[in-house]
Amino acid sequence: MITDTAHTRPGTGGRLDDILARTRSELEKGLVPVNIFANADIFDAEMERIFAKSWVFLGFESEIPEKGDFMQRRIGRDSVIVTRDGKGEIHVLANFCRHRGTKLCQTDVGNQSHFRCPYHGWVFKNNGEWIGAPDKSKAYRGLDTRDWNLFKAPHVESFLGMIFASLDADAPTLMDYLGGAAWFMRGLMDLHPGGMSPMGPPDRYKVRGDWKTGSENFGGDGYHVGVAHGSVQTIQLAQGFDVLNNYSTHYVIPGGHSFLGHDFDSMFGPDGHVWYYPPDIQRHFDLNRIDPLLQDVVKKNPPIVGTIFPNLSFLRFFGPPSPGKPPAVYTSWRQWQPSGPGEMELWSWQLKWNFMDEQQAADSYAAGQFGFSSAGIFEQDDTVVWEGAPEAARSVWARKEKASFNMQMGMEGMGQQVLDTSWEGPGEAWRPGPGEPSQRAFYRHWLRQMEETGE
């Protein structure tokens, strides 16, 4: 728990409580102070008040299919071990020994019935229970071993094969936390009883950007596409980015979640139905698995990007798997893993529908890697421009001027975007044209979390 909210460190750009107060005042005007990026006190508070309180995505059940399987993942900056015990139950364990704090698990994935500390040899079962130590009868004869189990996440749940955990004992259920976002996720992942699964472990690469920038961008920033990704049009790989915003809908969900949909029928004609999937893929889908309104969204105005607060996003689009081949649709779930003030790691899973044959899966994977991977033509554009926010936050000049970023697009008097009062789905739908309702909603929820100190 952070108790000294007035604390500040040299060069961080202001006291924590002052920055949050200023953020509250400016958000009402559609502005975000630069001080919330690359700030050590803000970052520490985010770890305590957001990542330790939220439901955080950790991976897919299919990544640990067998009893004894485990994978090393993260909640904020905390390394955790996600295990499947001998009964098949999933646990999320703190990845440090209770004796001296040494990291227990050094590998990304594996299969273990127990974990042995490399320092003094304390041993823990893969459900977290303390089970032994060298010379136990001499060294720990009177030890109550129940007091020295590994710390275990109090809440672990799965949805559509995706594993989430919360470190907050008082957290709501996962479904209550997701709210309307779960409705959209069903449209993305539940069109076939076999579901989807990753085609390998996540790609991981370091980015000199703030985790919040990735989250709010994928929550619904269609405005950057024509500029940041203009080189794709220059080389004639794709055209028409300048009109994408004319066909967009921002779905804003309570809880900091948001999705950006596009009218594929207007953009591509009848062939645009269901994310532009080709007929040999679409014939496997059973849209009756989802409700009629969601069916309509999936057919005509499906989300192509979206964010589950705090740091999980998805992308579904299409591109060529290789020169001369027809486009293939790809799906990526990605996490913006905070590693320090103004620094993150980008983790990206490429998914397939489990009914896909080997060639269909390979084409989808290749198209996704070409577009969004460490060397992807779109990913490189994004990760370079995202360096700007933390650089500005470190600027003495920017802090001296009390600089703020502008997120007023779509507000009254700023553009044509309006709230669609006929929308019957969860949350709000804003359209048409460019706007930033998703960004403003993301930072409003971020601020609410940051102001709840738990004291």
Side-chain angles (χ1 to χ4, degrees):
M1 178 188 303
I2 291 179
T3 56
D4 182 8
T5 58
H7 175 66
T8 188
R9 289 177 237 179
T12 58
R15 294 165 18 135
L16 178 60
D17 54 350
D18 292 340
I19 296 173
L20 295 180
R22 179 184 163 200
T23 303
R24 172 157 293 284
S25 174
E26 296 204 355
L27 264 176
E28 296 177 2
K29 298 175 285 188
L31 306 175
V32 174
V34 299
N35 307 61
I36 72 170
F37 302 94
N39 180 299
D41 292 327
I42 287 286
F43 182 84
D44 288 346
E46 288 174 340
M47 298 304 101
E48 295 271 359
R49 302 176 186 180
I50 292 179
F51 285 88
K53 298 286 187 179
S54 303
W55 281 90
V56 177
F57 171 71
L58 294 173
F60 295 85
E61 289 188 14
S62 59
E63 293 183 272
I64 50 170
E66 305 296 332
K67 295 176 181 179
D69 285 350
F70 70 87
M71 54 188 176
Q72 185 183 168
R73 294 294 154 88
R74 278 169 43 183
I75 297 178
R77 292 193 69 182
D78 282 310
S79 173
V80 299
I81 314 171
V82 185
T83 72
R84 191 182 289 273
D85 68 15
K87 298 179 180 179
E89 296 180 2
I90 296 175
H91 306 271
V92 176
L93 312 173
N95 189 16
F96 63 87
C97 181
R98 295 291 308 281
H99 184 225
R100 289 293 189 274
T102 302
K103 196 172 185 179
L104 290 167
C105 180
Q106 303 287 343
T107 58
D108 289 337
V109 296
N111 185 285
Q112 291 283 134
S113 62
H114 63 275
F115 299 95
R116 184 177 187 271
C117 178
Y119 193 1
H120 295 95
W122 278 28
V123 184
F124 304 87
K125 292 175 64 175
N126 61 7
N127 64 2
E129 293 179 11
W130 192 102
I131 57 172
D135 294 324
K136 178 181 178 296
S137 61
K138 298 177 182 178
Y140 296 109
R141 183 169 52 188
L143 183 72
D144 187 342
T145 60
R146 294 170 297 181
D147 294 336
W148 297 99
N149 296 332
L150 295 180
F151 294 130
K152 183 185 298 187
H155 301 290
V156 180
E157 293 187 38
S158 294
F159 177 57
L160 300 174
M162 304 173 71
I163 304 170
F164 294 79
S166 176
L167 302 183
D168 183 7
D170 298 322
T173 66
L174 175 62
M175 295 311 297
D176 285 343
Y177 179 85
L178 293 174
W183 188 79
F184 281 99
M185 291 172 70
R186 286 192 176 95
L188 287 161
M189 306 276 286
D190 199 23
L191 303 184
H192 186 274
M196 304 191 78
S197 62
M199 290 183 276
D203 292 340
R204 304 178 183 182
Y205 32 101
K206 295 180 179 179
V207 178
R208 292 196 295 266
D210 192 286
W211 69 272
K212 296 187 289 296
T213 302
S215 289
E216 54 101 333
N217 175 281
F218 269 66
D221 184 351
Y223 189 62
H224 80 289
V225 177
V227 178
H229 303 305
S231 61
V232 179
Q233 296 190 110
T234 301
I235 64 175
Q236 299 185 351
L237 184 65
Q239 298 293 323
F241 287 170
D242 53 332
V243 300
L244 284 177
N245 287 294
N246 297 335
Y247 301 106
S248 66
T249 297
H250 291 78
Y251 302 107
V252 181
I253 311 299
H257 320 304
S258 58
F259 300 81
L260 179 65
H262 281 85
D263 183 349
F264 272 45
D265 277 2
S266 296
M267 293 165 62
F268 305 110
D271 291 340
H273 260 37
V274 192
W275 287 283
Y276 209 63
Y277 273 113
D280 62 334
I281 299 293
Q282 285 199 43
R283 67 182 178 84
H284 292 275
F285 293 154
D286 178 9
L287 269 62
N288 290 323
R289 296 175 58 84
I290 57 179
D291 72 53
L293 178 58
L294 185 54
Q295 290 180 34
D296 194 57
V297 169
V298 165
K299 289 177 182 178
K300 301 177 182 177
N301 208 347
I304 62 169
V305 292
T307 288
I308 309 299
F309 191 90
N311 68 328
L312 174 65
S313 298
F314 87 91
L315 164 74
R316 176 172 288 166
F317 207 59
F318 56 86
S322 61
K325 293 198 70 171
V329 180
Y330 53 89
T331 302
S332 169
W333 280 98
R334 52 217 2 252
Q335 261 188 311
W336 323 103
Q337 301 280 21
S339 54
E343 299 175 353
M344 67 173 170
E345 291 181 15
L346 199 168
W347 293 21
S348 175
W349 293 258
Q350 292 273 71
L351 270 61
K352 67 173 181 178
W353 291 100
N354 288 319
F355 62 73
M356 283 180 164
D357 62 36
E358 187 174 337
Q359 188 60 56
Q360 290 170 334
D363 286 346
S364 176
Y365 183 83
Q369 291 295 99
F370 182 65
F372 287 88
S373 65
S374 59
I377 57 172
F378 291 99
E379 197 91 273
Q380 292 182 76
D381 294 336
D382 284 334
T383 52
V384 168
V385 298
W386 291 350
E387 295 178 9
E391 283 296 311
R394 297 185 186 103
S395 165
V396 174
W397 192 357
R399 295 200 299 267
K400 180 180 178 181
E401 297 290 343
K402 293 183 171 26
S404 297
F405 296 138
N406 186 303
M407 298 193 180
Q408 297 177 325
M409 192 190 313
M411 294 178 68
E412 186 174 356
M414 288 287 179
Q416 65 177 2
Q417 191 178 68
V418 296
L419 179 65
D420 182 357
T421 57
S422 68
W423 169 246
E424 297 179 349
E428 299 174 341
W430 292 81
R431 51 187 165 208
E436 293 169 321
S438 301
Q439 283 74 19
R440 293 190 294 272
F442 176 88
Y443 285 109
R444 283 195 296 267
H445 188 73
W446 174 89
L447 181 63
R448 281 194 293 269
Q449 294 291 99
M450 291 290 282
E451 289 182 331
E452 292 181 1
T453 64
E455 299 175 0

